[in-house]
Amino acid sequence: RWSVLRAADKLSDLQQISQEFTQVVMCVRAVMGSLSSDKAEWLHRHTEDVLSSFVTALESLTIEDSLSGLVEGRTQQLCSVLREVAKLCAKEETSMDNIVDQEMAATAAAINEAAAKIQEIQNATRQRYTGLELEVGEKILGSCTELMACVRELILSSAELQHEIVQSGQKRGQEPQSSSITGVGGTATDFYKRHSRWTEGLLSAAKAVGWGASALVSTADEVVSGTGKFEQLEVTSHEIAASTAQLVAASRVKADKDSQNFVKVMGNSKSVANATASVVAASKQCMKLTEESKLVAVDYSQLSAVQVKRLDMEMQVKILELENQLTEERRRLTTMRKMHYHDDGTSNGS
C-alpha cells in the first residue's frame, strides 16, 4: 500500500512538471513567429535540448528514485527558457522598429561611398593613363558611375515607399490582433513582427545591394588597372541588378499599386536595369578593344606553314580546355544553387 501511494505521488509530480513543459512549449511557439529566423532557430534548439534532457531523465527514473532533484532541476531549466524568451522579446521590441530604417540608411551610405570611390579612381585614371587604357577606364568607370546613381535613386525611393507601406499597414490594422494590442493598427514594430518573413526579405535585399556596390568598386578598379577580368565586372553588375529586383519585389508585395512612390520605385528599377545593360555593353566593348590590340601585335603573315600548324593545334587544345572548364564550372554552379535553395526551403519550412 505504501508503494502504491509513493507511485501515485510520483505520477502527480510528473503530471505537474509535464504540464509546465507543455505551457513553456506553447509559449515558445507563440513567440517564435515574431522573431527573426536566427533567433527563432536558436530558441527552438535551446527548448529542444531542455525537453530532451527531461525525457532522458524520465526514461532512467525508477520507483525508488527521488523526484525532488529532477523537478527542481527541470524547473530551473524551464525558468531559463522563459527568461530567454523574455530577453528576445524585449530585444526584438527595441530593435525592430529601427532596424529597417538603419539598414536602408546603411545601404544608401554604401552606395554614396562606392560612387565617391569610383570618382576617385576615374580621376586617378585620367592622370595615369593615355590611349587605349584611358579609353577603357572612361567607358568602364563612366558606366559604373551611372549605375551607382540609378541604384542610389532606387534606394531612396524604396525607403520612402517602405515608410508609406508601414503607415498604411498601421492605419488599416491588417491583422485582427493588432487592434487589440496597440489600438488602431499597432506600432511599426508590431507591423514588422506580423510580417517578419517579408521584413527579412527586405533586409536581405538591402544588404545584398550594399555588398554589390562595394564589390563593383573593387572590380572596376581591378579591371581598369589591368589586374581584373571584364567578365567579373559583368557578373558583379548583374548581381546588383538582381538584388535591386529583389528589393522591388519585396516592396511590390505590400505596396498600393496606385501609390506614386510605388510608381517611382518601378521607374527607378527600370533605370537600374538599363544602367546594368550599359555596364555590360561597355565591358564587352572594352574587352573587344583590348583583344584586338593584342592581335595587332602578332603578324601571322610572317609565320611559316609549320608554325601556323603548331599554333593552330595549340589554339584547338586551348579551346577544348576552356570548354571542359566551362562545363565543369556550370556543373558546380548548378550544384551550389540546388544546395542553397534546399537549405533556404528547409529553414523557411521550419
Side-chain angles (χ1 to χ4, degrees):
R1 183 171 178 269
W2 179 246
S3 298
V4 172
L5 290 176
R6 290 176 60 189
D9 289 340
K10 289 181 181 292
L11 289 175
S12 177
D13 291 338
L14 285 174
Q15 183 179 12
Q16 180 181 354
I17 194 172
S18 297
Q19 289 176 350
E20 292 176 358
F21 265 106
T22 302
Q23 291 174 356
V24 170
V25 170
M26 292 177 64
C27 177
V28 168
R29 285 181 177 176
V31 170
M32 282 177 62
S34 62
L35 297 176
S36 59
S37 59
D38 55 340
K39 293 178 181 178
E41 183 179 355
W42 179 88
L43 182 59
H44 174 76
R45 288 200 306 266
H46 185 50
T47 306
E48 199 173 52
D49 291 341
V50 174
L51 291 176
S52 297
S53 66
F54 175 56
V55 172
T56 301
L58 285 180
E59 290 175 347
S60 60
L61 189 67
T62 66
I63 194 65
E64 300 298 330
D65 292 334
S66 173
L67 271 178
S68 59
L70 173 64
V71 172
E72 182 179 355
R74 298 311 174 268
T75 301
Q76 291 178 355
Q77 288 182 327
L78 288 178
C79 291
S80 72
V81 172
L82 291 177
R83 282 195 297 269
E84 293 299 332
V85 169
K87 282 187 200 176
L88 290 173
C89 289
K91 189 174 182 181
E92 203 75 10
E93 183 72 25
T94 56
S95 62
M96 185 61 77
D97 53 354
N98 291 324
I99 190 171
V100 175
D101 289 341
Q102 291 173 355
E103 194 60 51
M104 296 296 281
T107 302
I111 298 298
N112 290 332
E113 183 180 357
K117 287 183 178 179
I118 290 176
Q119 186 61 50
E120 291 178 5
I121 297 172
Q122 192 167 27
N123 293 336
T125 300
R126 290 169 179 169
Q127 296 178 358
R128 187 183 309 166
Y129 299 114
T130 59
L132 179 61
E133 290 84 359
L134 179 59
E135 182 180 358
V136 169
E138 289 291 330
K139 289 181 181 296
I140 294 297
L141 297 175
S143 61
C144 290
T145 299
E146 180 186 355
L147 176 58
M148 287 296 98
C150 293
V151 172
R152 184 195 299 116
E153 291 300 318
L154 177 61
I155 293 298
L156 295 177
S157 60
S158 295
E160 294 177 0
L161 179 60
Q162 175 65 21
H163 291 151
E164 180 183 287
I165 290 172
V166 174
Q167 292 172 1
S168 177
Q170 289 176 266
K171 290 178 182 178
R172 289 197 301 265
Q174 292 176 350
E175 301 294 336
Q177 67 263 32
S178 63
S179 59
S180 62
I181 295 176
T182 55
V184 179
T187 64
T189 297
D190 296 325
F191 181 86
Y192 289 132
K193 283 185 176 181
R194 293 197 303 272
H195 309 284
S196 59
R197 184 165 296 182
W198 170 76
T199 303
E200 288 180 13
L202 189 72
L203 293 174
S204 175
K207 290 178 181 178
V209 173
W211 175 87
S214 301
L216 184 69
V217 173
S218 58
T219 303
D221 189 15
E222 292 173 357
V223 169
V224 171
S225 62
T227 59
K229 297 180 179 180
F230 291 101
E231 294 85 354
Q232 186 176 359
L233 183 65
E234 295 176 26
V235 171
T236 305
S237 60
H238 280 307
E239 285 295 324
I240 294 178
S243 301
T244 55
Q246 181 184 351
L247 188 64
V248 172
S251 301
R252 184 187 290 115
V253 172
K254 299 291 182 183
D256 182 357
K257 301 304 183 289
D258 296 328
S259 166
Q260 290 301 314
N261 284 326
F262 177 71
V263 174
K264 187 176 181 181
V265 166
M266 295 304 296
N268 290 334
S269 176
K270 292 180 180 178
S271 298
V272 170
N274 293 334
T276 302
S278 297
V279 173
V280 173
S283 176
K284 292 184 179 298
Q285 183 181 8
C286 291
M287 181 167 55
K288 183 179 179 181
L289 290 173
T290 303
E291 293 298 328
E292 288 178 349
S293 66
K294 294 178 180 178
L295 290 176
V296 171
V298 180
D299 187 1
Y300 294 105
S301 62
Q302 300 299 318
L303 299 179
S304 66
V306 175
Q307 290 174 325
V308 170
K309 187 62 177 179
R310 182 183 297 114
L311 188 58
D312 182 282
M313 293 179 64
E314 291 176 355
M315 289 181 178
Q316 290 187 57
V317 171
K318 184 66 175 178
I319 290 172
L320 288 174
E321 290 177 348
L322 292 175
E323 287 177 345
N324 291 334
Q325 184 179 356
L326 177 61
T327 301
E328 177 62 20
E329 291 301 319
R330 281 177 172 164
R331 186 192 63 79
R332 290 178 56 199
L333 178 61
T334 301
T335 302
M336 181 192 70
R337 286 177 173 174
K338 285 181 179 179
M339 294 180 63
H340 177 68
Y341 294 151
H342 173 72
D343 291 343
D344 281 355
T346 302
S347 60
N348 290 336
S350 63

